[in-house]
Amino acid sequence: MKNILVTGGAGFIGSNFIKYVLSNFDHKVINFDKLTYAGNLENLADIESDERYKFVKGDICEKKEVEKAVEENNIDTIVNFAAESHVDRSILGAKEFINTNVMGTHVLLEVLKEKKLEKYLQVSTDEVYGSLPEDKKELLFTEKTPVTTNSPYSASKASADLLCNAFYHTFNLPILITRCSNNYGPYQFPEKLIPLMIAKTLNGEKLPVYGDGKNVRDWLYVDDHCSAIMEVLNKGRIGEVYNIGGNNEWYNIDIVKLILKKLGKGEDMIQYVKDRPGHDRRYAIDSSKIMNELGWSPKYDFETGIETTVKWYLENESWWRKVMSGEYQKYFESNYANKLI
Ligand code: NAD
Ligand code: DAU
């Protein structure tokens, strides 16, 4: 039985991960989260009374807060999801991305070193590999692909990965890194492509597609990301990076059309808008290392995953309406107002 500190456990993937762990393992989970705009304890309402679960409000940039949570809960393992995660917000302002994603990771690594914890897993992203050409479908990101970052978000995540690598090599610490492709599923904040398009369709609003809509992303259902993280945590080789992907490449425009079709709406709702600055053209992951070495594979095909996701947003309208009110409106205005063509 492990005592896991899950940082960022009130966000999209973190909250799905906590539920995955409690359903499939007998571990204790301490959810350590600052509750930024993206953190929402309602995501965990169905497990909050599980005695193996506890919430601690805290900031990974504050070393004393992290130390206290680790000491008081006999933590032996850290899984770090805590981050500023939205590329468009990093273009509007990079400061919080550097603070949380870089400085916060550094704090966690110092605590790992000082407290001599058993394991640390850094949840990273395929965005650290930059962009693949659209016309060379045979090219995929492998763990050996050089780190090349194009957005303040990806630069901050790559910086954190480099710190993890340095702390592994210099101090011989038990560190693992995972780099996953685009996730989708329940509880994803409606600033990201799939939930945003579902919410806008249900609101009868135009769907803003960046550029020509031909950027490619490799989509993975969130539970498959969670199972991969647990495989790496349990069986991964210390100091290694493991890519995680769905082998499921889609043009953005085709995802948008699919959502419209599933909700019975027409393509006249699509509105092409100005492109995201520095927009990476294509992401595609080669997952053969985690599949061959650890025996992981995704369980959800895209048809099932997207069906489940659309259904969840249809049935949980109050959840997304609530998070889209207030501060969200200001973000939406500043991100999209100057994009209209
Ligand atoms: P999210 O934005 O939904 O959630 C982030 C969580 O971190 C929130 O609960 C927030 O309150 C918390 N947080 C932010 N700053 C904090 C701080 N200083 N201290 C403590 N908590 C803080 O993000 P997500 O989409 O769930 O992504 C989780 C992680 O997975 C991130 O590290 C992201 O880079 C990585 N990732 C995401 C995807 C994806 O498709 N969403 C894919 C690959 C990797
Ligand atoms: O690849 C993993 C990454 O996936 C994670 O590390 C990030 O945390 C996560 O946010 C995601 O980044 P993307 O930038 O790929 O995701 P996003 O949902 O913001 O956008 C997906 C694609 O859709 C991208 O090409 C931009 C496009 N897009 C997005 C929005 C929000 C639009 O065309 N219109 C939009 O309004």
Side-chain angles (χ1 to χ4, degrees):
M1 188 188 198
K2 296 184 203 298
N3 286 346
I4 310 177
L5 190 77
V6 174
T7 62
F12 162 49
I13 308 173
S15 60
N16 278 286
F17 178 75
I18 290 174
K19 291 181 209 186
Y20 179 82
V21 171
L22 293 176
S23 307
N24 293 284
F25 299 87
D26 197 19
H27 297 322
K28 281 196 177 152
V29 177
I30 309 305
N31 174 11
F32 184 89
D33 199 296
K34 184 180 171 183
L35 298 182
T36 67
Y37 78 93
N40 186 350
L41 290 178
E42 280 182 33
N43 299 2
L44 295 143
D46 43 342
I47 55 92
E48 68 185 358
S49 57
D50 189 316
E51 53 192 28
R52 296 168 301 157
Y53 169 78
K54 182 171 153 189
F55 172 69
V56 175
K57 188 169 190 298
D59 183 341
I60 61 165
C61 298
E62 297 298 329
K63 191 157 178 258
K64 287 204 161 41
E65 291 181 16
V66 178
E67 281 170 340
K68 188 163 178 271
V70 164
E71 280 161 20
E72 286 182 354
N73 298 288
N74 289 320
I75 295 299
D76 47 56
T77 304
I78 297 178
V79 180
N80 180 27
F81 291 92
E84 288 296 329
S85 68
H86 192 39
V87 174
D88 291 322
R89 288 188 191 251
S90 80
I91 296 167
L92 294 172
K95 193 162 172 247
E96 272 317 300
F97 287 74
I98 311 300
N99 281 343
T100 289
N101 302 3
V102 187
M103 311 302 275
T105 299
H106 174 233
V107 165
L108 296 176
L109 293 172
E110 289 293 350
V111 174
L112 170 75
K113 177 153 74 86
E114 284 166 25
K115 303 281 176 206
K116 298 187 172 47
L117 304 184
E118 282 169 25
K119 232 172 244 185
Y120 176 93
L121 189 145
Q122 176 73 4
V123 180
S124 186
T125 167
D126 62 355
E127 299 208 9
V128 302
Y129 297 125
S131 186
L132 290 164
E134 196 183 337
D135 56 346
K136 292 198 177 134
K137 289 288 174 200
E138 71 285 3
L139 282 185
L140 304 174
F141 294 138
T142 75
E143 289 81 357
K144 292 197 167 64
T145 303
V147 166
T148 320
T149 58
N150 297 321
S151 75
Y153 164 70
S154 59
S156 68
K157 291 295 289 184
S159 305
D161 285 13
L162 296 179
L163 275 177
C164 288
N165 192 48
F167 272 62
Y168 160 68
H169 279 282
T170 307
F171 305 113
N172 198 22
L173 297 181
I175 296 170
L176 296 148
I177 299 175
T178 56
R179 293 180 178 153
C180 190
S181 62
N182 286 63
N183 284 212
Y184 68 99
Y187 300 103
Q188 186 166 31
F189 197 84
E191 62 188 353
K192 310 280 164 52
L193 182 75
I194 289 181
L196 179 71
M197 297 302 158
I198 296 173
K200 288 212 156 279
T201 307
L202 295 175
N203 274 340
E205 293 169 25
K206 291 278 185 195
L207 312 191
V209 172
Y210 295 165
D212 63 0
K214 289 289 186 71
N215 298 69
V216 174
R217 296 293 183 264
D218 175 359
W219 294 95
L220 183 73
Y221 190 66
V222 63
D223 269 16
D224 282 327
H225 187 186
C226 297
S227 67
I229 289 172
M230 283 312 285
E231 289 295 331
V232 174
L233 194 62
N234 288 330
K235 302 192 275 183
R237 283 181 292 135
I238 296 300
E240 293 286 313
V241 173
Y242 290 89
N243 281 355
I244 305 165
N247 195 19
N248 179 39
E249 290 179 55
W250 284 75
Y251 285 118
N252 291 339
I253 189 66
D254 291 338
I255 293 271
V256 173
K257 287 179 181 171
L258 181 69
I259 289 169
L260 283 168
K261 195 167 164 216
K262 291 223 166 279
L263 292 170
K265 300 290 176 192
E267 293 177 11
D268 53 326
M269 290 181 79
I270 295 170
Q271 181 174 36
Y272 287 95
V273 300
K274 269 194 212 148
D275 210 352
R276 171 188 278 174
H279 198 174
D280 286 335
R281 194 63 175 168
R282 173 175 165 247
Y283 300 151
I285 279 270
D286 176 348
S287 306
S288 50
K289 181 174 172 182
I290 187 173
M291 292 175 105
N292 296 335
E293 223 179 81
L294 308 184
W296 173 85
S297 60
K299 284 205 172 60
Y300 294 83
D301 60 63
F302 191 62
E303 185 48 41
T304 315
I306 200 78
E307 191 69 36
T308 310
T309 305
V310 170
K311 189 165 175 274
W312 188 86
Y313 282 88
L314 277 169
E315 288 170 356
N316 291 276
E317 207 170 313
S318 62
W319 180 91
W320 57 263
R321 284 207 185 281
K322 203 161 159 189
V323 299
M324 285 175 99
S325 60
E327 193 271 345
Y328 180 90
Q329 293 302 332
K330 280 190 225 145
Y331 155 72
F332 200 82
E333 192 52 31
S334 45
N335 189 50
Y336 290 91
N338 64 358
K339 282 197 183 350
L340 294 177
I341 299 169

